[in-house]
Amino acid sequence: MASTTVEKQPKYMNADELSNFFIDVLEGNLSITLDEIISENDLERQKVLYGLHTLHEELNFEKERRLKLHEDIKAAFLNISSVVLLNKDWEIEEANGNFLNFTNRPLDSIEGFSLNDLLEIGDKTTENWNALKISIENNSSWQGILGFKKSKTKVGWLDVKAIVLASGKYHQEQIWLIGKDITDEIELEQELKETNQNLRDSLDQKEFLLRELHHRVKNNLQMIASVFVLQLQTEKDEKLADHLQTIQTKIFSISKLHDILVEQASLNNVDLLGYLKAIAENLQISTGFKGEIYLEGDYFEISTQSAPHFGIILNELITNSTKHAWTSNSTENEIRVGIYKEPDNLVFHYADNGKGFNKNEVTRGLGRKLLDMLILGQFKAVELQCGENEHSNCLCFKIDLANIN
């Protein structure tokens, strides 16, 4: 440390002289060597000078420590990520190599520019830029994403942390932006959004076409069913008319599924109980059944592949009951259908309160063969005992859920 000769002070300094002496020490304009203090003959003056020397050295040490700390922090930040140093007017004073590489600009081309000149024009960047300025004005840190113009057509993105520091070099406020390049992540996210949107558009188009297909199939089946109805109105052969009606109700069972699929959101599954209720209501009208049909049970969604099979099963059972279960003067006729879901099985229960029959004495006609084909063959169901005696009008079976959907 360079030394200067201190002009000898009188033994007793007045207030003004002492004040000026302290100011010189505090501002760093006075340097006093220990040799000068030791050579001082005046003991009182020596004590004062020694105290001032100690204070001066401590102040210098603290300023050097702060400056070194600032420079160390600055050096550390300049070697990581992208760093920009701004003055309080948001003008660029310094930037590290990472930021210059990120923006594809040399320092002399952006030094003194407002940071806003480098930002891309966009709603998100504008919103975050305004939030950043408000935070800094309130002396608070801020973190968010900013877009920077890398060229006329290309934009880069930084995840920025903004802080306010006092510069030890310039004794003024500085704003530091420390950013991580997330351009690849942002571009990938944008590509995924575009891809997902294209997939949604494609799916919507396919769903529309599939609904249109269900609608047309329903219309075609209903047209065929209407032809059968017209034929029934003129057919005099009762046996043939009976066959035509049976076919017509089966066609309706299938067309009703397409009708439901057109109306509901899902095109893959259908509420089984709701579907069977619609079939039962149609059969009650088409067969002229004067009794009641009750359907109850658990909500169960079934695939569109399996639903028509249940529709045909119910169609066959109700048609058979309306033909054979009661005499012409029977009253309080009832049909009860239940769908019950178990952890691993679906239980189907059907019964009427008709006169009953002996299963062992009934010829296995086309209807029974059709039921066996669907229940035992298609669903691999296990038939359950549900009546109190062999003449009970009841059919009960359970199906492993794995064999349904």
Side-chain angles (χ1 to χ4, degrees):
M1 180 182 300
S3 61
T4 57
T5 302
V6 179
E7 182 179 353
K8 297 294 183 180
Q9 301 294 328
K11 180 176 182 180
Y12 301 103
M13 291 185 288
N14 59 38
D16 290 337
E17 290 174 327
L18 187 59
S19 296
N20 291 333
F21 203 63
F22 270 105
I23 290 173
D24 286 339
V25 172
L26 293 175
E27 291 183 349
N29 297 326
L30 186 65
S31 180
I32 306 173
T33 66
L34 286 175
D35 291 339
E36 290 178 307
I37 296 174
I38 293 172
S39 63
E40 180 60 51
N41 295 324
D42 190 315
L43 184 61
E44 291 298 324
R45 179 178 173 82
Q46 186 183 56
K47 290 180 180 179
V48 171
L49 291 176
Y50 185 78
L52 290 175
H53 176 272
T54 302
L55 177 61
H56 179 266
E57 291 297 316
E58 288 179 352
L59 289 174
N60 277 340
F61 175 80
E62 181 62 21
K63 284 197 287 187
E64 290 176 1
R65 187 190 70 80
R66 287 174 178 260
L67 179 60
K68 184 176 185 308
L69 178 61
H70 181 273
E71 293 300 324
D72 287 346
I73 294 174
K74 176 179 175 180
F77 281 134
L78 289 176
N79 289 324
I80 62 170
S81 304
S82 294
V83 181
V84 187
L85 274 63
L86 311 168
N87 61 26
K88 61 183 179 180
D89 296 321
W90 298 95
E91 295 173 342
I92 298 173
E93 291 186 344
E94 194 170 348
N96 71 343
N98 289 332
F99 182 78
L100 299 177
N101 292 333
F102 172 77
T103 56
N104 293 325
R105 290 178 172 89
L107 179 61
D108 58 6
S109 70
I110 61 174
E111 193 171 14
F113 274 46
S114 171
L115 183 69
N116 192 39
D117 295 334
L118 301 182
L119 296 179
E120 64 96 21
I121 305 301
D123 292 339
K124 188 63 177 176
T125 296
T126 301
E127 179 183 341
N128 285 351
W129 170 241
N130 291 332
L132 165 60
K133 290 192 292 184
I134 292 173
S135 295
I136 296 302
E137 288 172 1
N138 293 326
N139 202 31
S140 300
S141 61
W142 179 88
Q143 184 166 5
I145 297 174
L146 293 176
F148 291 83
K149 293 178 286 190
K150 302 185 73 170
S151 66
K152 291 183 178 180
T153 58
K154 189 170 179 59
V155 175
W157 299 89
L158 288 180
D159 185 2
V160 172
K161 174 76 173 181
I163 55 177
V164 180
L165 289 178
S167 170
K169 182 177 181 181
Y170 302 107
H171 299 283
Q172 65 183 20
E173 193 176 76
Q174 280 189 325
I175 304 164
W176 288 29
L177 301 185
I178 306 161
K180 176 185 176 183
D181 187 353
I182 57 170
T183 304
D184 291 342
E185 291 90 331
I186 294 292
E187 290 179 349
L188 178 59
E189 181 181 349
Q190 185 61 36
E191 288 178 7
L192 288 175
K193 286 182 179 179
E194 293 176 359
T195 300
N196 288 337
Q197 185 59 51
N198 291 335
L199 289 174
R200 281 192 292 268
D201 293 342
S202 177
L203 184 61
D204 290 343
Q205 183 182 22
K206 290 179 180 179
E207 183 175 309
F208 171 79
L209 294 175
L210 188 55
R211 289 189 187 280
E212 183 64 21
L213 176 62
H214 283 301
H215 179 69
R216 295 190 181 191
V217 169
K218 178 204 72 172
N219 287 345
N220 290 336
L221 289 173
Q222 288 182 345
M223 182 180 295
I224 295 172
S226 298
V227 172
F228 278 94
V229 171
L230 292 174
Q231 184 65 36
L232 280 169
Q233 292 174 353
T234 59
E235 184 58 55
K236 297 180 180 180
D237 187 331
E238 292 185 4
K239 187 174 182 179
L240 179 57
D242 181 66
H243 287 314
L244 290 174
Q245 186 180 56
T246 300
I247 295 173
Q248 184 265 335
T249 56
K250 287 184 173 67
I251 293 174
F252 175 85
S253 298
I254 299 173
S255 70
K256 187 59 183 177
L257 174 63
H258 293 280
D259 188 25
I260 292 174
L261 291 175
V262 170
E263 298 298 327
Q264 69 176 22
S266 173
L267 291 171
N268 299 316
N269 300 298
V270 65
D271 171 18
L272 179 58
L273 203 58
Y275 172 52
L276 295 182
K277 283 181 179 179
I279 293 175
E281 289 172 0
N282 175 73
L283 285 168
Q284 190 163 17
I285 296 172
S286 62
T287 62
F289 179 55
K290 302 302 182 183
E292 298 292 338
I293 302 177
Y294 301 98
L295 283 96
E296 62 180 15
D298 302 321
Y299 177 82
F300 180 73
E301 284 195 354
I302 190 170
S303 71
T304 54
Q305 288 82 10
S306 297
H309 300 145
F310 276 94
I312 293 174
I313 290 171
L314 183 63
N315 183 92
E316 191 64 35
L317 291 172
I318 292 178
T319 301
N320 185 71
S321 291
T322 57
K323 289 180 180 180
H324 307 295
W326 300 280
T327 61
S328 58
N329 58 354
S330 296
T331 59
E332 298 183 357
N333 304 335
E334 289 185 359
I335 295 174
R336 293 188 175 273
V337 182
I339 301 290
Y340 307 103
K341 184 181 178 184
E342 296 179 346
D344 300 315
N345 300 293
L346 186 71
V347 177
F348 181 94
H349 184 276
Y350 178 91
D352 63 48
N353 64 347
K355 60 186 179 181
F357 64 94
N358 189 328
K359 295 180 181 179
N360 296 325
E361 296 177 359
V362 175
T363 303
R364 299 179 68 82
L366 180 60
R368 183 63 188 184
K369 290 179 180 178
L370 179 60
L371 290 175
D372 288 345
M373 181 182 68
L374 293 174
I375 297 172
L376 303 178
Q378 179 69 32
F379 291 131
K380 300 178 177 59
V382 177
E383 193 165 351
L384 304 175
Q385 182 68 34
C386 59
E388 296 179 357
N389 56 64
E390 60 182 1
H391 296 284
S392 174
N393 290 358
C394 175
L395 176 65
C396 187
F397 57 87
K398 69 176 180 180
I399 308 172
D400 190 322
L401 293 179
N403 296 329
I404 297 179
N405 296 321

